[in-house]
Amino acid sequence: MRFFIDTANLDQIREANDLGVLDGVTTNPSLMAKEGIKGEANIKQHYIDICNIVKGGDISAEVIATDYEGMIREGKELAALHKQIVVKVPCTKDGIKAIKHFTEIGIRTNCTLVFSVGQALLAAKAGATYVSPFIGRLDDISTDGVELVRQIVDVYRYYDYGTQVLAASIRHTMHIIQCMEAGADVATCPLSAILGLLKHPLTDIGLAKFLEDYKKVNG
Ligand code: G3P
């Protein structure tokens, strides 16, 4: 399973990238706003900065337009910024049409705001590179988000669709483990959830003991 970080914060992106296990970054308009990135030129430069930090990684950049023509115009501009850009498009009627068009002209896409297998089916048929089921937001309404990931993985495998399942709206470390068990191709996670994978008290206790024993002999 590949790891993306779900943030527009450059310090966090650098920290995750320095671990050496980062495969990409997902952003959305809310995450960009959280970092105070505003204005078309600044937003575009921010995407380029992210691409330059995570060399070779896939970087999702979301369209703001909700109509087909606007999505196509914005998506082409975003894709032209850098070869690592993946155009993120919401799972709406116009969005699916736009994904189909982007697929035909060789622009990679991430179909976002997916909450059902039916939406995932349309994304795959349109040729989306990634489909993003939002698991935390489903959990928020007492629906099993990880189960949706499992269902999408199953049907994609059954029908041999090429679209990769990118588990999104991950809120904590356990979500990452559950998505891996469900067969997700990618998990996009907050930095805290990624770092949580490292934590185990027996690792800390074991390391302290190793150092203690070393010092007993070596001073
Ligand atoms: O990847 C989608 C993500 O940014 C949404 O997460 O926590 O706002 O549901 P959240």
Side-chain angles (χ1 to χ4, degrees), residues 6 8 26-33 47 60 62 88 134 137:
D6 193 29
T26 50
T27 62
N28 62 39
S30 302
L31 292 171
M32 295 293 272
Y47 288 137
S60 285
E62 188 157 345
K88 204 171 180 187
F134 274 34
R137 293 192 193 185

Side-chain angles (χ1 to χ4, degrees), residues 97-118:
K97 277 172 62 182
I99 288 169
K100 177 75 178 170
H101 179 71
F102 287 136
T103 304
E104 285 166 356
I105 61 173
I107 289 178
R108 296 180 303 149
T109 52
N110 174 354
C111 184
T112 189
L113 288 167
V114 166
F115 296 93
S116 74
V117 178

